[in-house]
Amino acid sequence: MTPRQIVILGTGGTIAGRAARPADNIGYTAAQVGIDQLLAAIPALAESGPLVTEQVAQLDSKDMSFAVWAQLAARVSHFLARPEVQGIVITHGTDTLEETAYFLQAVCQPAKPVVLACAMRPATALAPDGPQNLLDAVSVARHAGAQGVVAVCAGTIHSAWDVQKIHPYRLDAFSSGDAGPIGYVEEGRLRLLRNWPLAQSGQAQAAIKNIANMLSDDDWPRVEIIMSYAGASGAIVEALQAQGVQGLVVAATGNGTVHCALEAALRQAQAGGVKVVRATRCANGRVLPLPGSVLADSEGLSPVKARVALMLDLLRSRT
Ligand code: ASP
């Protein structure tokens, strides 16, 4: 059987948002329009081939929870395993899209395309960007040879490993930083510049069957992000340690440098059994570790993605 079906999973976000006035692009409520209603407004989608839809969640992605991630990972792996399914599109808010993208790539390691679609303007806007982004996402999911988790926004395809939201308002709100995008969608055709995200052995992975059952946030290891800045202290580290935090990611300055007071507290936490990982707060590039570095390096992951990786690492070490 030729796999031709595209599954569209709805999770909410601005793409499903509603405002009181069409001219209002910012004073809206996210996650109001159901996935079937969204699709009904884009007849060209149905013309592209068979579609299956499912509303997995309906939330503003700023409020993304581990329970929704668990459910999403379970539905993604369920549909990916079906031979008739060619790919999956997930409608998602832009705020935590990069975290969900990284999470799904690390956990599901898909050999088929899983495409996150989003919008910067609500569905009720005078000129909403969601319909075109969704159409482009389906074009990517239907592309022969596409694989892995990617995000599509403003005609640009970003890898789950590299994608970051870099603008709070512009329609082209995402960047792949130094790595550059995977390619572009132009009138339904793809112009590819580099490889699809491949499964990376050695990256944090956890058994999907365990994650799918972790529906309570309390089941997940507690990992927090701390930033290093002028005048930083170790107070937050000590407070978190007292609360039983299991992992800490430090968003370090520049090439992984950390304020001496904060670094002393992090070293102490590490000696006390807390896993500490260092990422850079710089938007581009990665930390180039120096020999003898005491704090582990995020291997190019941004602080929010390094946090997900550390959580998955801690989960794996539980089993
Ligand atoms: N707060 C919204 C969300 O992340 C923003 C968006 O989707 O653009 O769901």
Side-chain angles (χ1 to χ4, degrees):
M1 177 193 307
T2 318
R4 292 209 54 237
Q5 210 171 66
I6 301 297
V7 177
I8 306 192
L9 305 177
T11 73
T14 294
I15 193 167
R18 228 196 277 273
R21 292 178 305 110
D24 191 350
N25 288 323
I26 56 170
Y28 60 87
T29 308
Q32 299 299 301
V33 184
I35 191 66
D36 289 327
Q37 210 183 330
L38 271 187
L39 263 53
I42 320 168
L45 270 182
E47 289 160 18
S48 73
L51 301 172
V52 171
T53 60
E54 190 172 298
Q55 192 81 50
V56 174
Q58 186 66 301
L59 84 169
D60 186 321
S61 84
K62 75 178 176 60
D63 301 322
M64 184 51 71
S65 69
F66 300 138
V68 172
W69 272 0
Q71 230 175 322
L72 198 51
R75 295 316 285 156
V76 165
S77 64
H78 164 82
F79 284 114
L80 286 177
R82 298 176 77 142
E84 69 274 21
V85 171
Q86 184 172 2
I88 297 178
V89 170
I90 302 170
T91 57
H92 198 288
T94 59
D95 287 345
T96 57
L97 180 144
E98 67 213 62
E99 293 169 60
T100 300
Y102 178 82
F103 169 75
L104 290 176
Q105 176 66 35
V107 167
C108 301
Q109 306 266 343
K112 293 177 183 178
V114 175
V115 188
L116 279 90
C118 59
M120 290 298 286
R121 290 181 183 159
T124 51
L126 276 179
D129 53 332
Q132 185 65 55
N133 286 345
L134 201 40
L135 203 53
D136 288 349
V138 170
S139 297
V140 173
R142 287 205 186 282
H143 187 81
Q147 66 166 297
V149 181
V150 298
V152 173
C153 185
T156 307
I157 311 164
H158 302 276
S159 158
W161 302 122
D162 304 304
V163 66
Q164 280 196 55
K165 187 173 181 182
I166 54 150
H167 203 282
Y169 180 70
R170 250 179 14 209
L171 300 190
D172 192 3
F174 289 88
S175 166
S176 292
D178 289 350
I182 289 179
Y184 302 103
V185 190
E186 296 163 337
E187 298 296 305
R189 283 185 297 276
L190 271 59
R191 176 156 58 97
L192 295 172
L193 308 175
R194 64 185 186 92
N195 280 343
W196 298 99
L198 303 172
Q200 290 189 353
S201 56
Q203 286 281 340
Q205 286 175 46
I208 184 70
K209 61 180 185 320
N210 293 342
I211 297 243
N213 293 328
M214 289 171 42
L215 293 177
S216 157
D217 282 6
D218 297 336
D219 293 337
W220 294 69
R222 176 137 184 230
V223 178
E224 301 288 351
I225 301 172
I226 296 166
M227 191 178 272
S228 186
Y229 39 74
S233 79
I236 297 173
V237 174
E238 285 149 22
L240 288 170
Q241 227 186 328
Q243 287 183 22
V245 77
Q246 289 157 273
L248 290 170
V249 172
V250 57
T253 38
N255 191 34
T257 50
V258 180
H259 188 289
C260 57
L262 178 56
E263 180 157 0
L266 288 170
R267 282 174 182 238
Q268 211 160 16
Q270 187 167 261
V274 178
K275 287 254 193 188
V276 181
V277 170
R278 179 171 43 169
T280 179
R281 65 180 217 187
C282 292
N284 286 314
R286 56 166 298 168
V287 172
L288 299 171
L290 291 162
S293 202
V294 175
L295 302 179
D297 157 50
S298 74
E299 296 176 9
L301 293 177
S302 64
V304 290
K305 290 182 188 175
R307 172 174 179 260
V308 178
L310 183 48
M311 290 174 71
L312 294 177
D313 234 2
L314 286 163
L315 275 179
R316 197 175 41 169
S317 63
R318 259 188 208 170
T319 52

